[in-house]
Amino acid sequence: MGQRTLFFYKLLIFAGKEENIRDVVIVTRLFEKLNEEKVFKDPVHRYIHVRDQLIWELIGTSEFQRLRRIRQLGTTFFTFHGAEHSRFGHSLGVYEIARQIIDIFKNRNDWDDSETLLSLCAALLHDVGHGPFSHSFEKVFGTDHERYTQAIILGDTQIHRLLEQVDPAFPEKVADVIGKTYGNRLIVSLISSQIDADRMDYLLRDAYYTGVSYGHFDMERIWRVMRPAGDQIVFKLSGMHAVEDYIMSRYQMYWQVYFHPVTRSAEVILTKILHRAKVLYNQGFAFKHVPEMLRTLFEGKITLDDYLSLDESVIMYYFQAWQSEHDPILSDLCARFMNRRLFKYVEFSKELLNANEELTEAFREAGIDPDYYLDVDFSSDSPYDFYRPGEEGVRQPIQLLMPDGSLHELSSESDVVGAITGKRRTDHKLYYPKDKVLALPDRSQAKKKIRELLHI
Ligand code: CA
C-alpha cells in the first residue's frame, strides 16, 4: 500500500465509512505510480515504459487485449508477409510516443501536468474500437470503429470501470479527446493532427513490419523541435527537414503500402465474402458451419458484447470452414481468400467507365455474377494540405516557429512540401477473377467481349 492509499484508508476509518474502504483503496491505487516501472520490449521504440497503475490496468483489460488479435494493416499481409503486427502493438506505440513528447514538454516546464494521465489514456485507447478487418466490415455492415471506441470507453466495459474510478467525468474526457471535441486542443492535436503520435507510430511500425525502405524519418529530432503554442503544437524552423522527411514518408507509405493493389484485391474478396454470407444468412441458407458469432451482425442488431467477441481468428475460422459450403460463390470466394488466389486488376479508365454496363452484362452472360466478381476500388490521398477559406474540411496546417517568434505555414517555407501541398492523387482500379474468365469456353461470345474490354 502506497503512502497516499494508506492516508485515505486511515481517513476513512476515522470517518467510519468502512463499507467504502475497498472502493477508495482502488481509486487511489489507480492514481499511483507503479512501485517499479513495467516495460514492454518493442521493435520500433525499443521499450514501452509504463509508470502509471491505471495504464498498466487498462492494458490488462479484455477489451484492450483483444487488439492482439486484430492486425494493424488488415489484408496487407497478402502483399508484405511481415505485416502481421497487431493493433495492440500500435496502441502501445502511440502511448509511448505521447509519453515521450509529454516528458520533453514537462522538462521544459511547457506542459500542464494535470492533463498528462488523460493524454496517455487517450493515446493508448484511440483505436480500441477497431474490429477485425474494420474497413470491409464498415462497408458491408455499416459498423463504425470510431463509434465503438466511444461506446467501449463510455459503456459497460472493464475499461470504463477503470476510467471512472479516476473521476466520474474522466471516461467522457478520454472519449472527447479521441473524438476531437475536448476543450484543450493541444491535447487533441497530440493524438490527431497532420503530425501526431498516431501517425508517427504507424508510419515507423508499418515500415518496420512490411520491411519497406521508405517510411523512415527522424522521429526524435521532430520531438525535440516540437513546441506547445496556445492550442496547437508548432515546430521550430531548425527541424523543418525532419518534418519534410515525415511528410514524404507518409506520401510514400500510402502509395507503396497502404493502397497497394494486391492488398486491395484481397480486401475486395473479403468484402464480397461478408456480403455473400450476409445475403445467404438472410435468405435462410442452411450453412454447414452456421455463423453463430455473426448472427446479430447479419440481423443488424449487434450489441457491444457481440462486437467485442469478434476478432480476426473468428473471421478466419469461418472463412476456412465456408470453403466447403454448398453455395458455389461463398465457397469459391473463401478458397480464394485462404489460398491467396486473388482478383487481377486493370486501370479503371474512362473507356472502361463508358463500357461498364456492357462489361457487367458480359459477366452475367458468362455466368460470373458481377455482384461478387466485379468491383471498382478507389484510393485517394493528399499528402499534406491545409484549410483555405471557402474549402471544405478543416485540416490544421503544420506551423513552423521562426526565430523571431512568428509562425509560418510549412509549405510557405519548404519547397519540397510546397510541391505536393493540396495535390490529391487518386487511383481507380477494376478487380475481376482473370482465371474464371480465361476458363470460359473459347466459343463463348461473353468471353470474347470481356477479353476485348479488359485487354486481356
Ligand atoms: Ca491509430
Side-chain angles (χ1 to χ4, degrees), residues 182-212:
Y182 189 63
N184 185 342
R185 305 304 297 169
L186 185 66
I187 312 245
V188 173
S189 69
L190 186 64
I191 320 278
S192 42
S193 59
Q194 295 206 70
I195 181 161
D196 60 18
D198 183 22
R199 290 184 181 189
M200 286 189 222
D201 184 79
Y202 75 62
L203 290 174
L204 293 178
R205 189 168 299 277
D206 297 343
Y208 176 88
Y209 282 98
T210 51
V212 299

Side-chain angles (χ1 to χ4, degrees), residues 72 87 90 94 126-127 130 198-199 202:
Q72 172 70 10
R87 294 203 182 269
H90 166 61
V94 176
H126 78 285
D127 269 350
H130 266 289
D198 183 22
R199 290 184 181 189
Y202 75 62

Side-chain angles (χ1 to χ4, degrees), residues 68 70-73 77-78 80-86 209:
R68 289 184 187 270
I70 294 171
R71 290 185 190 85
Q72 172 70 10
L73 289 183
F77 68 91
F78 280 113
F80 300 95
H81 64 254
E84 294 274 357
H85 56 304
S86 70
Y209 282 98

Side-chain angles (χ1 to χ4, degrees), residues 97-323:
I97 292 174
R99 195 191 66 78
Q100 298 252 17
I101 293 171
I102 290 171
D103 253 13
I104 293 173
F105 288 175
K106 275 203 302 208
N107 287 338
R108 277 199 308 258
N109 290 323
D110 239 357
W111 180 258
D112 173 2
D113 202 25
S114 71
E115 304 272 39
T116 302
L117 194 60
L118 172 65
S119 310
L120 297 180
C121 288
L124 184 73
L125 300 175
H126 78 285
D127 269 350
V128 81
H130 266 289
F133 305 112
S134 288
H135 298 299
S136 300
F137 267 71
E138 290 176 6
K139 261 192 215 155
V140 179
F141 303 110
T143 48
D144 172 359
H145 69 268
E146 289 182 6
R147 239 188 49 226
Y148 276 107
T149 299
Q150 300 281 321
I152 290 166
I153 291 169
L154 301 172
D156 181 18
T157 58
Q158 294 175 16
I159 285 178
H160 179 77
R161 283 190 286 281
L162 286 173
L163 295 175
E164 74 177 349
Q165 286 172 32
V166 173
D167 157 7
F170 195 67
E172 192 87 47
K173 284 189 191 171
V174 175
D176 286 350
V177 173
I178 297 172
K180 305 184 196 110
T181 55
Y182 189 63
N184 185 342
R185 305 304 297 169
L186 185 66
I187 312 245
V188 173
S189 69
L190 186 64
I191 320 278
S192 42
S193 59
Q194 295 206 70
I195 181 161
D196 60 18
D198 183 22
R199 290 184 181 189
M200 286 189 222
D201 184 79
Y202 75 62
L203 290 174
L204 293 178
R205 189 168 299 277
D206 297 343
Y208 176 88
Y209 282 98
T210 51
V212 299
S213 57
Y214 17 79
H216 300 282
F217 57 92
D218 189 347
M219 180 170 60
E220 291 189 26
R221 175 89 186 118
I222 293 181
W223 292 351
R224 278 173 215 296
V225 297
M226 289 172 102
R227 295 285 181 277
D231 65 351
Q232 59 177 334
I233 292 170
V234 301
F235 302 83
K236 274 176 70 181
L237 178 66
S238 59
M240 183 176 82
H241 297 300
V243 174
E244 282 175 342
D245 230 18
Y246 158 91
I247 300 275
M248 296 318 272
S249 80
R250 182 176 176 277
Y251 172 77
Q252 298 270 11
M253 285 297 284
Y254 266 80
W255 289 101
Q256 304 295 331
V257 175
Y258 303 137
F259 294 158
H260 197 288
V262 172
T263 305
R264 284 156 61 199
S265 172
E267 200 175 301
V268 165
I269 293 181
L270 175 69
T271 308
K272 299 296 182 191
I273 296 174
L274 295 171
H275 179 201
R276 184 64 181 169
K278 181 184 170 190
V279 166
L280 290 173
Y281 180 87
N282 289 320
Q283 285 172 356
F285 176 76
F287 282 90
K288 283 198 261 177
H289 302 272
V290 182
E292 278 301 335
M293 297 184 79
L294 301 173
R295 244 180 224 286
T296 55
L297 185 67
F298 289 157
E299 290 166 5
K301 48 187 186 197
I302 186 168
T303 65
L304 181 56
D305 279 346
D306 297 339
Y307 184 81
L308 287 169
S309 73
L310 298 179
D311 58 36
E312 290 182 1
S313 327
V314 171
I315 302 307
M316 292 294 241
Y317 164 78
Y318 286 122
F319 287 9
Q320 172 80 339
W322 287 342
Q323 290 180 79

Side-chain angles (χ1 to χ4, degrees), residues 26-35 38 40 50-61 64 92 95 116-122 124-125 158-167 170-171 174:
I26 294 170
V27 172
T28 51
R29 203 161 51 79
L30 283 174
F31 276 119
E32 273 172 12
K33 294 283 169 197
L34 292 159
N35 290 335
K38 308 269 190 192
F40 292 82
V50 177
R51 293 169 182 165
D52 302 280
Q53 183 71 33
L54 175 60
I55 297 295
W56 180 245
E57 296 200 10
L58 285 171
I59 294 170
T61 59
F64 194 82
L92 290 183
Y95 153 83
T116 302
L117 194 60
L118 172 65
S119 310
L120 297 180
C121 288
L124 184 73
L125 300 175
Q158 294 175 16
I159 285 178
H160 179 77
R161 283 190 286 281
L162 286 173
L163 295 175
E164 74 177 349
Q165 286 172 32
V166 173
D167 157 7
F170 195 67
V174 175

